[in-house]
Amino acid sequence: MRALVKPTAGPGLELLDVPEPTPGPGEVKIRVLRAGLCGTDLHIESWDDWAASMLKPPLVVGHEFYGEIVELGEGVPTGGQYGLEVGQRCSVEGHVVCGTCRNCRAGRRHMCVNTSNLGVNRDGCFADYVVVPHSNVWVQPDLIDPDLGAVFDPLGNAVHTALSFPLEGEDVLITGAGPIGVMAAAIVRHAGARYVVVTDLSESRLEQARAAGADLAINVGERRIASAKEELGMTEGFDIALEMSGSPHAVRELIGCMTHGGRVAMLGLPAEPFDIDWGKVITHMITLKGIYGREMYETWYKMTAMLQTSEVLRDRIRSVITHRFPAEQWQDAFDAARSGQVGKVIMDWS
């Protein structure tokens, strides 16, 4: 089969012919139809310090995808409401957990201390076929098309972050208008926030945020976040903030714009440690909550359920996909994603 492989330790990837995988006990073989590019994949291609510390080549990369079940390994549950069957269409949770650590046993599988990541620690989805544990398969209804199904991994990050705190009637700030930030804006609007404000330095990304439902999209290269208070008639500050950028400047400005008792969910990963105003965090009683991945599998349920209820939400989430490439043009796909001038980039493996 075709597979996009990190063949050796170093920069670059290669599209190679490799043996087709066979599912072992408890595993499912899936024909990949669509796959999304993530910032993680760009780190792996360039072979930065993080990638060098995590990967052991040769390895098939990629972890965001939608496909069709083609084979079940021995012992995979079948039949009934929750069983798997050949021919079902699905998305896949890319975090493979141990099932035995304290968090796994307590039902907090997204906090597993022994997580193995698809496309990082085990062969991934940039290929014609991929094998995953049956428990990682999320069967999708017909309403979820291949493009939507391919972005469920990053959409899950957005939903996990956005739904960390109650949103009804709240004023919400989202710093960072990458694909996850834009999807978060759509979710926050769908969930009943009063005002949704999104910040970024890219006008094209801010325009995507407006189309996704943001009331105000602020270019922080030109104006400050605090100006939103007067423009929207807010009397105190933001109730909820979702930090999606990993920017120290964004975090510092965000904290200064929160109301007393404000709550901040932080998903964006900074490149380096940085200082923040802990005095303000303490005296304003601000809650900071780190977010990683998706809650397994409550976030997945909420994603599918919300998308089933609203064509507007489906269109807004789908709108983050700005570029599509056939798998053979993988280098063009990576170059587009790396340009920073696009939304979500999807590769077609069908």
Side-chain angles (χ1 to χ4, degrees), residues 92 134 178 306:
V92 170
H134 74 86
M306 284 190 291

PDB file of all heavy atoms in Angstrom, residues 92 134 178 306:
ATOM      1  N   VAL A  92     -11.414   8.264  14.263  1.00  0.00           N
ATOM      2  CA  VAL A  92     -10.628   7.494  15.232  1.00  0.00           C
ATOM      3  C   VAL A  92      -9.969   8.423  16.246  1.00  0.00           C
ATOM      4  O   VAL A  92      -9.378   9.446  15.871  1.00  0.00           O
ATOM      5  CB  VAL A  92      -9.563   6.638  14.520  1.00  0.00           C
ATOM      6  CG1 VAL A  92      -8.577   6.033  15.525  1.00  0.00           C
ATOM      7  CG2 VAL A  92     -10.222   5.522  13.710  1.00  0.00           C
ATOM      8  N   HIS A 134      -9.930  -1.508  18.600  1.00  0.00           N
ATOM      9  CA  HIS A 134     -11.357  -1.295  18.345  1.00  0.00           C
ATOM     10  C   HIS A 134     -11.962  -0.237  19.255  1.00  0.00           C
ATOM     11  O   HIS A 134     -12.910   0.467  18.871  1.00  0.00           O
ATOM     12  CB  HIS A 134     -12.123  -2.617  18.495  1.00  0.00           C
ATOM     13  CG  HIS A 134     -12.310  -3.078  19.917  1.00  0.00           C
ATOM     14  ND1 HIS A 134     -13.348  -2.653  20.708  1.00  0.00           N
ATOM     15  CD2 HIS A 134     -11.569  -3.927  20.686  1.00  0.00           C
ATOM     16  CE1 HIS A 134     -13.256  -3.220  21.899  1.00  0.00           C
ATOM     17  NE2 HIS A 134     -12.188  -3.995  21.924  1.00  0.00           N
ATOM     18  N   GLY A 178      -6.442  30.021  14.611  1.00  0.00           N
ATOM     19  CA  GLY A 178      -6.136  28.884  13.775  1.00  0.00           C
ATOM     20  C   GLY A 178      -7.377  28.022  13.620  1.00  0.00           C
ATOM     21  O   GLY A 178      -8.455  28.364  14.140  1.00  0.00           O
ATOM     22  N   MET A 306     -23.912  17.415  18.621  1.00  0.00           N
ATOM     23  CA  MET A 306     -24.115  18.820  18.260  1.00  0.00           C
ATOM     24  C   MET A 306     -24.185  18.995  16.751  1.00  0.00           C
ATOM     25  O   MET A 306     -25.020  19.761  16.236  1.00  0.00           O
ATOM     26  CB  MET A 306     -22.993  19.681  18.844  1.00  0.00           C
ATOM     27  CG  MET A 306     -23.133  19.928  20.334  1.00  0.00           C
ATOM     28  SD  MET A 306     -21.978  21.182  20.967  1.00  0.00           S
ATOM     29  CE  MET A 306     -20.424  20.320  20.792  1.00  0.00           C
TER      30      MET A 306
END
